[in-house]
Amino acid sequence: MRVIICENYEEVSKEAAKLVAGLVNLKPDCILGLATGSTPVGMYNNLIELYKKGELDFSQVKSFNLDEYYPIAKSNENSYDYFMNDVLFEHINIKKENINIPNGEAKDADKECKEYEEKLNASGGVDLQILGIGVNGHIGFNEPDENLIAVTHKTGLTESTIEANARFFESKDQVPTMALTMGIASILKSKKIVLLANGKAKHNAVKALLNDEITTSNPATMLKVHNDVVLICDKEAYNG
Ligand code: GLP
């Protein structure tokens, strides 16, 4: 795993945007795997700026998002659908029909997950997957557990994730307790993976990712089996 240690969050965001922009320029019809959470927002801001300067064109880009709460209305400000439009999609020229996010409104969650995985496979595969990391080492919504489902699936959220994500909601009891998420195998199919982490709160997760053996009790450690992962983190996440 290549590790890029940055001075601060701004630098993490710039470095990540550089990698994404490089790929979009090199392969205008690339497939991006996108993540939510607060971490990638700075990177998205940098990409929007490059687009506005005329240095990036997303007209042929396709995207697959990692996960979505379940059940949740797309109009809910805390849905990842709403979030992605707000922080990225409505500011760039990506085509609506090229955007894929697990549907939190689906009546049949299992069917939605199966179809999402099929669409992901039929697309030819993600060229570059952006990931954040949960304080407990989750990626997407693959939470630490004894067993993990490999492909896109419905999952319960752990207490620690509900607590960590409560800051976006009015109260903790409004955080959905379920989600739809790409599985670890879906994520590992991506050609390149860029994992972003910043701040002291992520130090333990980053330390475990770099030093621990592969275990489902820290899903991020499974990234070690992939041969093209770049971790971009700030000093606080790296040193604690
Ligand atoms: C959320 C998302 C993850 C994200 C993580 C970290 O629960 N499902 O994809 O990486 O938590 O979020 P943040 O970047 O806000 O710390």
Side-chain angles (χ1 to χ4, degrees):
M1 185 174 308
R2 188 153 76 93
V3 184
I4 301 176
I5 304 164
C6 299
E7 207 51 51
N8 51 35
Y9 177 65
E10 284 65 41
E11 219 181 276
V12 168
S13 304
K14 271 216 172 86
E15 284 301 315
K18 257 198 253 168
L19 295 183
V20 175
L23 175 67
V24 173
N25 281 324
L26 204 62
K27 189 177 177 190
D29 60 348
C30 65
I31 303 184
L32 297 177
L34 300 177
T36 51
S38 48
T39 310
V41 173
M43 179 194 76
Y44 293 146
N45 286 337
N46 277 280
L47 292 174
I48 292 167
E49 229 174 85
L50 290 171
Y51 165 70
K52 287 192 173 153
K53 279 199 262 171
E55 290 174 25
L56 264 186
D57 173 22
F58 291 90
S59 61
Q60 296 178 68
V61 170
K62 288 195 181 113
S63 70
F64 280 87
N65 259 79
L66 277 173
D67 51 11
E68 176 61 286
Y69 290 114
Y70 188 81
I72 198 160
K74 292 181 190 196
S75 57
N76 184 323
E77 287 183 18
N78 283 304
S79 76
Y80 285 166
D81 198 285
Y82 189 100
F83 177 89
M84 286 306 300
N85 281 316
D86 192 38
V87 300
L88 182 66
F89 296 147
E90 66 188 31
H91 307 285
I92 60 173
N93 65 337
I94 190 167
K95 292 190 178 115
K96 256 199 154 62
E97 64 267 30
N98 287 343
I99 296 170
N100 298 282
I101 303 179
N103 182 6
E105 294 180 349
K107 292 243 150 47
D108 183 339
D110 293 336
K111 184 166 168 267
E112 169 63 19
C113 291
K114 191 169 169 277
E115 287 172 2
Y116 198 75
E117 188 74 20
E118 281 166 4
K119 203 167 180 192
L120 188 64
N121 289 334
S123 73
V126 168
D127 290 291
L128 191 156
Q129 176 69 56
I130 300 295
L131 294 176
I133 186 168
V135 286
N136 61 3
H138 76 227
I139 49 175
F141 270 130
N142 292 278
E143 297 277 36
D145 211 336
E146 217 170 296
N147 302 298
L148 290 177
I149 298 171
V151 295
T152 305
H153 60 283
K154 184 172 86 176
T155 182
L157 303 185
T158 60
E159 199 50 34
S160 110
T161 296
I162 291 172
E163 253 161 47
N165 290 3
R167 67 189 194 278
F168 298 110
F169 293 78
E170 267 173 36
S171 64
K172 192 178 137 192
D173 55 5
Q174 285 188 15
V175 185
T177 56
M178 309 283 291
L180 309 180
T181 183
M182 279 189 201
I184 299 291
S186 338
I187 293 168
L188 289 173
K189 272 185 212 157
S190 173
K191 296 178 186 87
K192 284 178 183 294
I193 296 176
V194 174
L195 175 67
L196 310 178
N198 73 287
K200 274 194 171 57
K202 298 294 170 69
H203 175 61
N204 285 340
V206 166
K207 199 168 102 193
L209 164 68
L210 295 174
N211 302 315
D212 291 1
E213 288 175 355
I214 296 169
T215 167
T216 56
S217 62
N218 185 337
T221 59
M222 279 180 272
L223 297 174
K224 287 172 192 270
V225 305
H226 195 284
N227 64 5
D228 195 351
V229 180
V230 183
L231 165 66
I232 307 179
C233 61
D234 69 353
K235 283 183 166 166
E236 289 195 339
Y238 190 75
N239 296 323

